């Protein structure tokens, strides 16, 4: 009888524990690409740049096919906070903003009894719809790497107004350390410990220009960083849209590692003291002087990657601090831990830097989740998800139902079973709107990616009709050539045979039927998501109509 009572009591305790709402920590870095992890098996994995993050990932589920819908900071964050694609949430470029009332993710989580918090990079202009926030204010809420200004809930708040420091408090130190200090302080001293918490902890790093903490100055200093072959030979990647006829535009399209792009290349930033004043003041800026082209590319790439990975190391070490706290407080196993980057990043592939492209290194997001109560350790999936799916999934994990206005789909079932549900999406849509922006100079394009294929349409025009003499746009925006129309072209990649996207096979007759089918899927996807151009952007629709059957 005693055994029966004890057994019954243990079952009751177990039942009580499993029904307790889990805490949720959503950790997002800025431009932390999948190549810069151990878990994704890239050329950099042997460097072991992310031991803490890899351990978390291996204790949960890793997504191989998570993609961004628009590879640039503000639109990606708007999609994550709203569960909507760019046209639905109104944020198609860096000048977009999300009103407080349209921040559906924290709004819905609050309804479920959670205390919500946001720390770090915000970049969506309007006041965050969180119970607590402490966010960067400088540079359109991008923040600065050292001694950043942040504004905290309870302080005066106004939407970004163009001033460098409109309101806030300065914190001393490197930004990754600063926001982790703030998060730990909130967890320990400011949250309501009677409630479950939903915390979005959002690093600035490793966004360019990779101003790492001084303690990492010697990290990887004597290491030879593996290089992508396409850094030196880009094969048949791209089209006249990315290179111009007879390569006539290669010096102005796509910011580069090499000196190829004469307007913006990595050497212009790396071989200056502007971004080493606080972390490596003795840096020798003359190291690349007098080198031939190949030696220059090698030297620039090595320094680029070392700075990038030093920033990543700062993220990994600070995540370790968060994990240490959760374990110390007995919160680790009842906290859903999500890690991602706001998009991918080009680390020299195809001689490109930055993001924006629909090529996989820019489009793919790292994404993994740990929650031992529901997610089996060591799980990995090829299911296609994108950042519009994050919000509905997090809401369901918290016990809620995603609101109807969300366009994304919850993948809670995949998290808990490792299996795709019947009729799960087999493709993802992408669109980059910021035509020839910020001297990175990426032509506007959209496309569709399946597990095996990718189809891209470069339409080469800004979303405002700059040929219209009455049109208005931000002509003071730095480094933009919105008025420059670039060539129109299609690109197709057979990812099953060409995962590095080195052969644009659009004109290969062997793929005629596959391409025709992908175009049909693309038309349907654009209609379904309200991503068509139609009457809203007739100058773009005219290009689409004229070149759809090229």
């Amino acid at each position: 009888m005693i055994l029966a009572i004890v057994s019954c009591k243990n079952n009751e305790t177990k039942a009580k524990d499993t029904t307790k709402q889990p805490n949720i920590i959503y950790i997002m870095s800025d431009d932390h690409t999948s190549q810069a992890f151990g878990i994704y098996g890239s050329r950099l994995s042997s460097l072991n740049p992310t031991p803490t993050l890899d351990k978390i990932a291996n204790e949960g589920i890793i997504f191989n096919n998570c993609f961004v819908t628009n590879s640039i900071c503000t639109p990606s964050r708007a999609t994550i906070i709203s569960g909507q694609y760019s046209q639905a949430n109104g944020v198609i470029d860096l000048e977009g903003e999300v009103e407080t009332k349209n921040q559906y993710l924290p709004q819905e989580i609050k309804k479920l009894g959670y205390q919500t918090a946001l720390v770090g990079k915000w970049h969506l202009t309007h006041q965050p719809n969180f119970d607590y926030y402490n966010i960067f204010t400088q540079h359109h809420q991008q923040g600065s790497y050292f001694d950043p200004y942040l504004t905290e809930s309870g302080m005066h708040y106004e939407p970004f107004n163009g001033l460098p420091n409109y309101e806030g408090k300065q914190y001393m130190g490197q930004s990754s350390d600063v926001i982790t200090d703030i998060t730990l302080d909130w967890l320990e001293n400011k949250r309501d410990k009677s409630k479950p918490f939903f915390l979005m902890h959002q690093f600035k790093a490793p966004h360019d220009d990779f101003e790492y903490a001084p303690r990492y100055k010697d990290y990887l200093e004597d290491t030879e960083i593996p290089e992508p072959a396409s850094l030196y030979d880009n094969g048949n990647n791209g089209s006249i849209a990315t290179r111009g006829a007879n390569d006539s535009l290669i010096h102005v399209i796509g910011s580069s590692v090499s000196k190829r792009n004469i307007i913006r290349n990595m050497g212009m930033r790396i071989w200056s003291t502007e971004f080493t004043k606080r972390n490596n003041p003795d840096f020798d800026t003359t190291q690349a002087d007098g080198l031939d082209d190949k030696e220059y590319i090698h030297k620039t790439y090595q320094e680029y990657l070392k700075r990038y990975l030093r920033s990543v190391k700062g993220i990994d070490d600070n995540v370790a601090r968060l994990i240490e706290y959760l374990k110390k407080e007995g919160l680790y196993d009842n906290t859903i831990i999500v890690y991602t980057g706001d998009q991918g990043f080009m680390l020299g592939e195809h001689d490109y830097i930055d993001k924006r492209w629909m090529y996989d290194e820019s489009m793919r997001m790292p994404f993994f989740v740990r929650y031992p109560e529901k997610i089996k350790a060591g799980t990995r999936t090829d299911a296609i998800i994108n950042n519009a799916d994050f919000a509905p999934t997090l809401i369901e994990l918290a016990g809620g139902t995603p609101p109807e206005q969300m366009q994304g789909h919850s993948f809670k079932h995949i998290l808990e079973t490792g299996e795709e549900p019947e009729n799960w999406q087999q493709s993802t849509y992408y669109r980059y709107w910021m035509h020839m922006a910020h001297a990175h100079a990426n032509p506007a394009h959209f496309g569709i990616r399946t597990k095996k294929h990718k189809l891209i349409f470069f339409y080469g025009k800004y979303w405002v009709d700059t040929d219209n003499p009455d049109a208005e746009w931000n002509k003071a925006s730095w480094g933009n050539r919105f008025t420059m129309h670039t060539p129109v072209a299609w690109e197709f990649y057979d990812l099953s045979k060409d995962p590095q996207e080195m052969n644009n096979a659009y004109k290969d007759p062997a793929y005629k039927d596959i391409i025709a089918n992908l175009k049909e899927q693309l038309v349907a996807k654009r209609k379904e998501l309200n991503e068509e151009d139609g009457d809203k952007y007739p100058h773009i629709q005219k290009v689409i109509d004229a070149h759809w059957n090229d």
Side-chain angles (χ1 to χ4, degrees):
M1 179 64 70
I2 293 175
L3 288 174
I5 292 172
V6 170
S7 175
C8 181
K9 187 174 181 179
N10 285 342
N11 286 337
E12 288 174 0
T13 302
K14 184 176 182 182
K16 183 178 179 181
D17 289 343
T18 56
T19 57
K20 182 180 179 182
Q21 284 176 288
N23 303 304
I24 303 172
I25 293 184
Y26 174 95
I27 305 170
M28 185 163 72
S29 53
D30 192 332
D31 298 340
H32 190 182
T33 186
S34 60
Q35 304 97 282
F37 286 81
I39 55 170
Y40 285 107
S42 76
R43 67 182 183 279
L44 303 176
S45 60
S46 62
L47 301 176
N48 192 30
T50 52
T52 299
L53 292 170
D54 289 356
K55 187 174 187 299
I56 296 168
N58 286 318
E59 291 176 354
I61 184 170
I62 300 168
F63 284 78
N64 294 328
N65 285 325
C66 178
F67 300 104
V68 71
T69 53
N70 185 348
S71 186
I72 192 73
C73 297
T74 305
S76 175
R77 292 162 190 271
T79 291
I80 290 164
I81 213 73
S82 68
Q84 297 174 324
Y85 287 72
S86 294
Q87 287 208 59
N89 63 41
V91 180
I92 61 177
D93 62 16
L94 287 175
E95 296 178 9
E97 51 193 55
V98 180
E99 293 186 22
T100 306
K101 65 183 176 65
N102 295 332
Q103 297 164 23
Y104 303 123
L105 173 57
Q107 190 173 294
E108 294 297 317
I109 295 280
K110 281 188 212 177
K111 294 177 183 177
L112 302 170
Y114 279 76
Q115 186 177 23
T116 60
L118 167 72
V119 178
K121 182 171 175 177
W122 177 230
H123 219 355
L124 294 175
T125 298
H126 290 275
Q127 188 168 18
N129 196 348
F130 289 76
D131 297 312
Y132 173 85
Y133 59 82
N134 205 344
I135 59 171
F136 296 125
T137 59
Q138 296 162 298
H139 315 306
H140 200 169
Q141 301 174 338
Q142 171 69 39
S144 59
Y145 262 116
F146 284 95
D147 306 336
Y149 284 81
L150 290 92
T151 189
E152 188 174 18
S153 48
M155 298 175 68
H156 169 71
Y157 190 95
E158 57 183 282
F160 171 73
N161 61 10
L163 299 176
N165 304 312
Y166 57 85
E167 179 70 25
K169 171 185 173 183
Q170 188 174 27
Y171 293 76
M172 307 310 291
Q174 203 270 354
S175 68
S176 297
D177 300 336
V178 166
I179 71 161
T180 304
D181 290 344
I182 293 170
T183 285
L184 290 172
D185 179 59
W186 180 80
L187 285 168
E188 178 63 23
N189 302 311
K190 295 180 179 178
R191 69 183 172 95
D192 181 347
K193 295 184 180 180
S194 69
K195 293 182 177 181
F197 61 82
F198 172 71
L199 166 68
M200 298 187 83
H201 176 91
Q202 304 194 151
F203 291 102
K204 170 183 174 64
H207 190 282
D208 66 3
D209 286 280
F210 325 121
E211 295 179 66
Y212 51 85
R215 63 183 178 274
Y216 300 116
K217 180 171 69 72
D218 297 324
Y219 175 61
L220 299 174
E221 180 63 23
D222 298 322
T223 301
E224 182 78 3
I225 309 297
E227 299 175 348
S230 59
L231 174 61
Y232 299 96
D233 182 0
N234 201 20
N236 189 37
N237 168 269
S239 60
I240 62 167
T242 63
R243 298 194 305 260
N246 300 314
D247 287 348
S248 58
L249 296 175
I250 62 169
H251 299 299
V252 296
I253 288 181
S255 52
S256 59
V257 175
S258 74
K259 294 179 180 179
R260 172 185 56 77
N261 190 310
I262 60 175
I263 297 172
R264 185 165 184 170
N265 63 66
M266 185 52 68
M268 294 174 175
R269 325 278 283 195
I270 289 292
W271 306 119
S272 75
T273 58
E274 183 177 357
F275 304 107
T276 57
K277 294 174 184 175
R278 293 296 305 266
N279 52 30
N280 192 3
D282 298 323
F283 179 72
D284 179 8
T285 61
T286 67
Q287 295 177 55
D289 291 357
L291 299 178
D292 65 30
D293 286 349
K294 189 169 184 178
E295 290 173 329
Y296 177 89
I297 293 170
H298 172 73
K299 194 76 174 177
T300 302
Y301 175 86
Q302 293 294 314
E303 182 64 26
Y304 167 30
L305 265 290
K306 287 174 183 178
R307 292 191 193 181
Y308 180 88
L309 291 172
R310 287 165 187 162
S311 295
V312 168
K313 177 67 171 169
I315 291 171
D316 197 77
D317 287 348
N318 274 294
V319 171
R321 294 173 62 202
L322 295 178
I323 299 306
E324 180 183 19
Y325 176 84
L326 294 176
K327 288 181 175 178
K328 179 172 68 75
E329 297 299 315
L331 298 169
Y332 190 47
D333 285 342
N334 192 46
T335 299
I336 298 169
I337 301 173
V338 179
Y339 186 88
T340 188
D342 58 351
Q343 58 251 331
F345 205 71
M346 308 298 294
L347 296 179
E349 299 86 4
H350 312 296
D351 188 30
Y352 290 136
I353 60 176
D354 205 65
K355 51 265 187 175
R356 305 166 191 256
W357 296 106
M358 196 180 163
Y359 303 130
D360 264 15
E361 293 86 0
S362 166
M363 183 186 183
R364 175 177 278 116
M365 307 170 78
F367 191 88
F368 49 86
V369 185
R370 182 194 187 274
Y371 181 44
E373 182 66 39
K374 298 287 186 180
I375 298 171
K376 184 179 177 181
T379 306
R380 191 181 284 260
T381 177
D382 289 328
I384 290 178
I385 62 170
N386 65 47
N387 57 331
D389 301 324
F390 295 179
T393 303
L394 291 167
I395 290 167
E396 281 204 351
L397 287 171
T401 302
E404 289 184 4
Q405 65 265 36
M406 286 190 174
Q407 294 173 300
H409 306 287
S410 170
F411 49 86
K412 179 173 178 284
H413 177 84
I414 299 173
L415 293 174
E416 296 177 349
T417 67
E419 303 292 333
E420 295 183 39
E422 190 176 349
N423 298 323
W424 185 251
Q425 60 200 11
Q426 296 301 301
S427 65
T428 188
Y429 176 74
Y430 179 87
R431 184 163 188 177
Y432 175 72
W433 295 78
M434 291 184 65
H435 179 68
M436 299 300 286
H438 297 161
H440 288 296
N442 306 73
H445 56 286
F446 61 75
I448 189 169
R449 190 200 193 280
T450 68
K451 291 180 182 179
K452 293 184 177 181
H453 303 113
K454 180 182 292 183
L455 183 68
I456 311 172
F457 180 64
F458 287 89
Y459 55 89
K461 287 181 183 288
Y462 188 47
W463 61 270
V464 176
D465 184 1
T466 58
D467 291 336
N468 181 347
D470 298 322
E472 297 181 0
W473 67 90
N474 184 2
K475 296 176 182 177
S477 182
W478 172 82
N480 296 322
R481 284 174 290 161
F482 296 149
T483 60
M484 177 183 176
H485 305 326
T486 54
V488 178
W490 287 93
E491 295 182 17
F492 167 81
Y493 298 95
D494 182 347
L495 302 172
S496 64
K497 297 179 180 178
D498 178 30
Q500 306 304 319
E501 298 171 290
M502 295 298 291
N503 179 36
N504 175 14
Y506 182 75
K507 295 181 179 179
D508 186 336
Y511 293 106
K512 180 180 178 181
D513 291 342
I514 291 174
I515 290 171
N517 178 262
L518 286 171
K519 286 185 179 182
E520 291 177 3
Q521 291 187 51
L522 184 52
V523 168
K525 185 76 76 172
R526 280 165 56 79
K527 184 175 182 179
E528 171 197 347
L529 299 173
N530 189 31
E531 281 285 323
E532 296 174 299
D533 291 82
D535 296 333
K536 195 169 185 181
Y537 306 105
H539 65 296
I540 297 175
Q541 187 62 49
K542 186 176 179 181
V543 176
I544 296 170
D545 292 341
H547 294 276
W548 193 258
N549 295 315
D550 284 1

